[in-house]
Amino acid sequence: MNATSLRPALILPMIVLAMVLLTGCATTPKQNREDPISEQEVGIRMDLAESYLAAREPRRTLRELQLIETQARAIPRYHNLLGHTYLILREYERAEQSFAQVVKLDPEMAEAYVSMGFAQARLEKIDAAEKSFKQALEDLTYLTPEYAAFNLALLYRSQNKLPEAVEYAKMAIEKNWRYIDGYLLLSDLLNRQGKTREAISWLRQGSEADLENVQISLRLAESLLRVGEIEEAKKWFRMIIETSPGSEEARMADDYLEML
């Protein structure tokens, strides 16, 4: 399983003015402070940590979180930020522990189960990861259940359990019919089983979900070639070049057209 095969769930808002608000109270994790950190500052530092995380600066994120460890240890958001920081740093054991703390404090935070499952999968704790993803799916209030289903499909694919993987890839699409990654994964699984025409049917649906997505258009054109639909495949290759000139998909489409 490669480093990008599973996907944790985290939505990061843009944070503004945090640096201004913290001016004058900056310190380091090892410095002692005479004044206790206020509840307001805890919130500001979590906002700042979140902005660093969005910018893919996990060490700065960790520094901010360490400053408020004592005051924030009962706050689910704190542990969620910490868990995602550890994921970026590839500290998967620590990430799993952080997300476990999140769901302990807030059992209804379904996205934390998905992120915990991701960490567990990276640690090859397959049964635990499967349980975490399914736990997220059980929460009917979870706004993005397609992520949990998608990750389950990836988990089963990594074990070569293709029927189960197909089931959950289809579920991801059923949860969100515009979820392009679900279509791409499902087509891959079906092609592995020699079900190329079924894969084409799903890819057509996926192309309707996002008419300008050249990644799915390329997959569809390649699948059409496999079943001998040369002229239709050419149409899709040309459409890719027109839609996204200069892209890697357009380059590949041009290569295909030169060979046909």
Side-chain angles (χ1 to χ4, degrees):
M1 194 181 302
N2 60 46
T4 59
S5 61
L6 296 173
R7 298 182 182 183
L10 179 65
I11 300 174
L12 298 172
M14 292 298 295
I15 307 300
V16 295
L17 299 181
M19 291 297 293
V20 175
L21 290 170
L22 284 171
T23 300
C25 64
T27 183
T28 65
K30 294 184 178 181
Q31 285 179 323
N32 294 321
R33 299 176 52 131
E34 294 182 0
D35 299 326
I37 297 177
S38 68
E39 183 177 338
Q40 181 185 18
E41 185 179 337
V42 169
I44 290 171
R45 288 203 179 276
M46 283 198 291
D47 287 346
L48 185 56
E50 196 164 28
S51 70
Y52 284 139
L53 191 58
R56 306 288 292 185
E57 297 184 49
R59 299 190 185 282
R60 287 190 172 186
T61 305
L62 190 59
R63 174 176 174 170
E64 294 301 326
L65 294 175
Q66 286 175 337
L67 286 168
I68 56 173
E69 179 180 1
T70 300
Q71 294 80 6
R73 61 181 51 170
I75 302 174
R77 181 190 176 197
Y78 165 81
H79 294 284
N80 195 47
L81 287 168
L82 193 60
H84 282 282
T85 303
Y86 286 135
L87 285 183
I88 294 176
L89 292 170
R90 299 185 180 183
E91 294 283 349
Y92 298 118
E93 287 280 4
R94 292 181 178 183
E96 180 189 16
Q97 293 167 7
S98 296
F99 292 122
Q101 190 63 24
V102 175
V103 298
K104 180 180 178 181
L105 292 168
D106 185 359
E108 296 183 359
M109 196 168 178
E111 58 269 25
Y113 283 107
V114 177
S115 299
M116 182 163 65
F118 173 83
Q120 291 164 335
R122 298 299 297 144
L123 293 166
E124 299 186 357
K125 297 180 179 180
I126 304 301
D127 291 342
E130 180 182 12
K131 182 178 179 181
S132 293
F133 294 140
K134 288 184 175 179
Q135 184 71 39
L137 282 174
E138 289 179 7
D139 186 350
L140 298 180
T141 66
Y142 182 28
L143 297 179
T144 52
E146 63 271 22
Y147 295 154
F150 180 84
N151 278 299
L152 270 168
L154 289 173
L155 191 68
Y156 287 128
R157 185 181 69 175
S158 72
Q159 302 171 76
N160 204 33
K161 294 181 178 180
L162 298 187
E164 293 89 343
V166 166
E167 175 188 353
Y168 281 97
K170 287 181 178 179
M171 181 184 293
I173 295 169
E174 290 168 1
K175 299 293 185 183
N176 180 0
W177 76 280
R178 294 184 180 276
Y179 188 42
I180 298 300
D181 284 346
Y183 291 104
L184 294 171
L185 175 58
L186 180 57
S187 69
D188 172 70
L189 294 167
L190 292 171
N191 279 320
R192 288 188 184 203
Q193 298 177 82
K195 300 178 180 179
T196 303
R197 290 200 178 275
E198 185 179 351
I200 289 171
S201 178
W202 283 100
L203 288 167
R204 289 188 193 280
Q205 181 177 322
S207 68
E208 293 174 2
D210 186 349
L211 295 174
E212 296 186 355
N213 189 295
V214 292
Q215 192 174 9
I216 201 165
S217 297
L218 180 62
R219 183 74 61 84
L220 175 55
E222 290 173 333
S223 296
L224 287 166
L225 282 181
R226 291 192 185 99
V227 297
E229 301 287 345
I230 307 299
E231 292 306 313
E232 187 175 2
K234 286 181 179 179
K235 292 179 182 177
W236 283 98
F237 287 134
R238 294 189 188 104
M239 185 183 301
I240 292 166
I241 294 170
E242 292 174 3
T243 302
S244 184
S247 67
E248 177 63 18
E249 288 82 6
R251 185 193 65 76
M252 293 179 67
D254 189 58
D255 288 344
Y256 274 115
L257 286 172
E258 286 185 5
M259 292 185 294
L260 294 174

